[in-house]
Amino acid sequence: MKKIIETENLRTNFYTYEGVVKALNDVCITVNHGETFGLVGESGCGKSVTVRSMMRIIQSPGKVESGKVLLFLDENGEQEAVDLLQQSESYMQSCCGDQISMIFQEPNAALNPIMSIGEQVAESFLFHRKKSLSEASLERLNAQDCKVPFKGIFKNLYKKYHEDENAFVFKLLSHIPLLNRWDFLIRQEAFKRAVEIISKLGIPHAEDIAVQFPHNLSGGMKQRIVIAIALACSPMLLIADEATSNLDVTIQAQILELLKDLKKKHISSILLITHDLGVVAETCDRVGVMYAGSLCEVAESRELFGNPSHPYTKALLESVPKFHQEGALKTIEGNVPNLVTPPAGCRFHPRCKHRMDICDKEVPNLLEIGKNHSVACHLFGDK
Amino acid sequence: MEKILELKNLKKHYPIYGGVFKKEINSVKALDGVDLDIYRGECLGVVGESGCGKTTTSKAIIKLHDPTSGEIIFHPKDHKDSYDIARMKPRHMKKNGLRSKLQMVFQDPTTSMNPRMLVKNIIAEPIIENTNIKGKALEDRVVELLEMVGLTRNHLYRYSHEFSGGQRQRIAVARALATNPEFLVLDEPTSALDVSVQAQILNLMDSLRKKLNLTYMFVTHHLLVVKYISTRIAVMYLGKIVEIAETEKLFENPVHPYTNALLSGIPSTDLDIEKKRIILKGDVPSPLNPPEGCRFHTRCPFAIELCKKKEPVLEDIGNHKVACHRKDEVQELISKKFA
């Protein structure tokens, strides 16, 4: 299988007044082409920090200490790995939203309240797809029935823009009032595409919605708009950070169905982050379970839910109420450790039922114990 | 079975003022005629989407706000009379000893406790307010409560920020139990907690209910949690109850199309169960102008002309109350459409 993104020994720390929070401890995850990878865990286990480190949007006082984030780009049939952590800021700008894009947790916080919906979706076309937009505008100018004043001048401008985006003349124009609107055709084109993608996501009356503002829409609609922004440039990898957590059950079902649909048609892979085990079981092909900043089990979802191996995964599955619940719920004793002073060795050992002497001394490595099934636990060390 | 609370046509409208003279121009109909009986010793789960009036119902019962109209009849255990608390003034409630019988556990334990008070004082406050217990006896009572929820004497002289989320919620439960209540409202007590801690709190709640013979009203949007803990479930939609039944019955044989959609939307970790998923279109309508007729008709896959005109009433079909015009045909329609 072709990989799409891979992290190697990713380590992220937060430098707070209380001390150094070791949020990620050697996290290695791989997302393959055409799969939905789920990342589950309790709050504070480092799910979001993992993807934020991957996208390089960790905010101060956080810092990615070491590790690699490899993005595999297809170049003439050959895969080329790019380490995102070594790239320049401008490379990340062109990459985020184009190759990788992200759906954030709270649609309320992710949308700009003073920009119309259509403009916000169009923004991502304007940033990443200016070339194809100027081409489309040129076509429109060349058409017979086009009624734009000073057609000739615009034709020349757009042609030049198509050849060289960074020409001096455009920088000059962008500083002159009124003339800085020379690219209105490009904007119109972007808005048209935005409406298209909004209607593709199953929102009725997309033209009317596109001129409205975020506060006019309901939570489910807003989430769809955020998805539309992320999907605008048809990315290779879509990262959904708790995309359905704040939504009601019926709306959540709508959004999950939508993501499934989209995966079939448009995007190749989804990295889904959630704390809801049910959502993972129903949508993901492979699942990674995280605990206190380290990955403890990775397996195909049928395998993980049918045959959980790591003691934490087992306990977690038993502590969630099920559809056919029999008897009382089992609990995990104790609390999630403070990551300023994480337990030595395996981070789960203070709460683990199968604790051994080695557990508080050595950190277990992720070992393969079956087909596509890896566990980081000393119980499986000998095999 | 003995009733503990009866809600009769309970309404709560939040007015919206507008215009030059700030007249009431419209109102948000958060609760629009709720009829509900709660029996002693049961755990009634209330489920529904956000904005359907779950929390408003619970706050009206606790009298955190006054209902617009309707009756809330409370039958305390040791009293001969029953009281309509909907119109009762707070001081009358306290005088009759009703205030201490109704208690509440809030959603987020971090914000529901005073950060400047010691745990001892947090739990002692309701006791001092309602009884004459003082000094050593008071401390003993506080320790007894702490031990009841799984904490110890060592936790007495600490502040709430020194505890984890699960422990904080335990303290909130102890505070609610301090006045020997008969009825507890639990407003999403586990939604701010981690999954592994959620199980601890749920088990604690369940054992306390059996031990102290409490009656719960468990408000949540998490359907599997409510299935685990409740004995009876009421499903709400846009300020109305659309279906009430015992837990097993509701999950095995849901009647209302909305309940069917809710239950089919639960993401489950049991991968082997084949489910037909009913996906509703659109969103919950605004409670400012709820749709005429059946409130669910705008999203219902089986709506007919009658649904748009006449509002269905909650009818009893053998220990199972449903408000739907097509309640006899729903199962058939679902198997036809979503098979």
Side-chain angles (χ1 to χ4, degrees), chain A residues 41-44 218-221 245-254 256-257 260 275-282 301-303 305 312 316-325 327-336 351, chain B residues 48-51 54 164-167 192-203 221-228 251 258 261-275 277-284 299:
Chain A
E42 295 174 81
S43 52
S218 66
M221 293 264 251
S245 300
N246 292 326
L247 304 176
D248 289 315
V249 190
T250 54
I251 309 289
Q252 171 172 304
Q254 287 176 7
L256 289 179
E257 202 66 13
K260 262 187 207 169
H275 61 263
D276 193 333
L277 290 162
V279 169
V280 168
E282 296 208 342
S301 95
R302 200 161 271 279
E303 168 84 5
F305 290 103
Y312 174 65
L316 192 67
L317 284 175
E318 278 169 358
S319 65
V320 184
K322 283 177 204 64
F323 210 84
H324 298 284
Q325 179 72 32
L329 280 181
K330 290 188 183 146
T331 58
I332 311 179
E333 291 306 315
N335 287 302
V336 183
R351 300 174 80 186
Chain B
E49 291 175 275
S50 51
K54 305 181 298 261
S164 68
Q167 282 174 321
L193 305 176
D194 280 325
V195 197
S196 63
V197 183
Q198 166 179 302
Q200 294 171 10
I201 298 292
L202 287 180
N203 284 342
H221 63 265
H222 198 306
L223 287 150
L224 290 174
V225 165
V226 94
K227 177 172 191 287
Y228 175 65
F251 271 76
Y258 179 64
L262 267 188
L263 296 186
S264 78
I266 306 174
S268 157
T269 50
D270 303 326
L271 285 170
D272 299 323
I273 306 169
E274 284 285 315
K275 278 193 298 188
R277 176 148 291 180
I278 306 166
I279 292 190
L280 295 177
K281 288 203 183 100
D283 287 304
V284 186
R299 298 172 80 196

Side-chain angles (χ1 to χ4, degrees), chain B residues 160-262:
Chain B
S160 66
H161 69 84
E162 293 172 64
F163 292 92
S164 68
Q167 282 174 321
R168 261 181 234 151
Q169 197 59 285
R170 281 167 196 269
I171 295 167
V173 173
R175 177 178 62 180
L177 292 177
T179 56
N180 291 321
E182 287 175 26
F183 180 78
L184 267 188
V185 170
L186 310 169
D187 188 4
E188 311 233 13
T190 60
S191 67
L193 305 176
D194 280 325
V195 197
S196 63
V197 183
Q198 166 179 302
Q200 294 171 10
I201 298 292
L202 287 180
N203 284 342
L204 172 75
M205 293 311 226
D206 207 31
S207 65
L208 282 175
R209 179 172 68 89
K210 284 168 189 155
K211 203 163 88 188
L212 304 173
N213 193 22
L214 294 167
T215 310
Y216 286 168
M217 180 160 140
F218 198 99
V219 176
T220 182
H221 63 265
H222 198 306
L223 287 150
L224 290 174
V225 165
V226 94
K227 177 172 191 287
Y228 175 65
I229 197 159
S230 337
T231 52
R232 220 155 57 100
I233 295 179
V235 182
M236 289 189 78
Y237 186 78
L238 214 60
K240 285 228 163 202
I241 287 177
V242 294
E243 187 162 3
I244 314 178
E246 273 162 30
T247 307
E248 315 273 282
K249 240 183 201 168
L250 190 88
F251 271 76
E252 265 164 32
N253 183 22
V255 176
H256 199 280
Y258 179 64
T259 320
N260 274 300
L262 267 188

Side-chain angles (χ1 to χ4, degrees), chain A residues 88-354:
Chain A
S88 64
E89 200 61 34
S90 61
Y91 180 86
M92 286 312 291
Q93 267 186 10
S94 68
C95 175
C96 293
D98 196 358
Q99 269 113 23
I100 317 171
S101 60
M102 190 159 166
I103 304 171
F104 291 92
Q105 191 162 357
E106 273 231 41
N108 281 330
L111 292 174
N112 187 342
I114 54 165
M115 264 171 97
S116 74
I117 297 292
E119 275 174 51
Q120 293 191 49
V121 182
E123 216 181 10
S124 105
F125 288 114
L126 284 174
F127 200 88
H128 296 289
R129 294 279 183 272
K130 265 211 159 154
K131 263 226 155 99
S132 85
L133 286 177
S134 62
E135 215 174 86
S137 322
L138 254 179
E139 254 171 48
R140 196 176 138 193
L141 280 170
N142 285 332
Q144 288 296 325
D145 56 342
C146 176
K147 281 177 192 160
V148 174
F150 312 114
K151 214 165 156 185
I153 299 172
F154 279 120
K155 251 186 213 174
N156 282 334
L157 261 176
Y158 284 116
K159 207 179 264 169
K160 185 150 192 196
Y161 188 78
H162 191 59
E163 283 155 12
D164 180 15
E165 282 177 51
N166 302 322
F168 176 71
V169 96
F170 302 117
K171 273 183 195 157
L172 190 72
L173 280 177
S174 69
H175 288 292
I176 304 171
L178 289 183
L179 288 187
N180 58 11
R181 306 235 186 136
W182 66 273
D183 58 353
F184 70 100
L185 282 177
I186 293 184
R187 285 176 191 282
Q188 280 173 12
E189 186 64 31
F191 198 82
K192 220 162 75 190
R193 288 192 192 184
V195 171
E196 244 166 65
I197 195 138
I198 292 172
S199 66
K200 243 189 229 170
L201 291 183
I203 296 177
H205 316 299
E207 294 87 4
D208 304 340
I209 295 287
V211 292
Q212 288 186 335
F213 288 85
H215 70 265
N216 297 115
L217 307 185
S218 66
M221 293 264 251
K222 272 185 229 167
Q223 192 65 57
R224 276 164 198 265
I225 300 298
V226 174
I227 295 175
I229 294 173
L231 285 180
C233 298
S234 36
M236 296 198 299
L237 174 69
L238 181 72
I239 300 175
D241 186 359
E242 307 261 12
T244 59
S245 300
N246 292 326
L247 304 176
D248 289 315
V249 190
T250 54
I251 309 289
Q252 171 172 304
Q254 287 176 7
I255 299 285
L256 289 179
E257 202 66 13
L258 178 72
L259 281 179
K260 262 187 207 169
D261 248 27
L262 288 170
K263 213 195 108 205
K264 274 184 208 147
K265 290 179 204 154
H266 302 286
I267 24 178
S268 54
S269 309
I270 299 179
L271 174 53
L272 190 78
I273 298 171
T274 177
H275 61 263
D276 193 333
L277 290 162
V279 169
V280 168
E282 296 208 342
T283 50
C284 296
D285 304 319
R286 277 196 321 135
V287 185
V289 182
M290 285 190 82
Y291 179 77
S294 53
L295 206 61
C296 44
E297 188 163 0
V298 184
E300 277 174 17
S301 95
R302 200 161 271 279
E303 168 84 5
L304 187 96
F305 290 103
N307 176 25
S309 298
H310 197 283
Y312 174 65
T313 320
K314 271 186 199 167
L316 192 67
L317 284 175
E318 278 169 358
S319 65
V320 184
K322 283 177 204 64
F323 210 84
H324 298 284
Q325 179 72 32
E326 284 161 17
L329 280 181
K330 290 188 183 146
T331 58
I332 311 179
E333 291 306 315
N335 287 302
V336 183
N338 183 352
L339 291 180
V340 176
T341 49
C346 172
R347 287 186 173 186
F348 186 57
H349 84 260
R351 300 174 80 186
C352 185
K353 278 183 206 158
H354 309 278

Side-chain angles (χ1 to χ4, degrees), chain B residues 103-113 119 122-123 126 145-146 149 151 160 165-178 184-186 189 201 204-205 208:
Chain B
Q103 289 291 328
M104 185 158 179
V105 176
F106 294 91
Q107 184 166 4
D108 188 356
T110 323
T111 48
S112 69
M113 264 182 271
V119 166
I122 290 176
I123 298 175
L145 284 164
L146 276 179
V149 296
L151 298 171
S160 66
Q167 282 174 321
R168 261 181 234 151
Q169 197 59 285
R170 281 167 196 269
I171 295 167
V173 173
R175 177 178 62 180
L177 292 177
L184 267 188
V185 170
L186 310 169
I201 298 292
L204 172 75
M205 293 311 226
L208 282 175

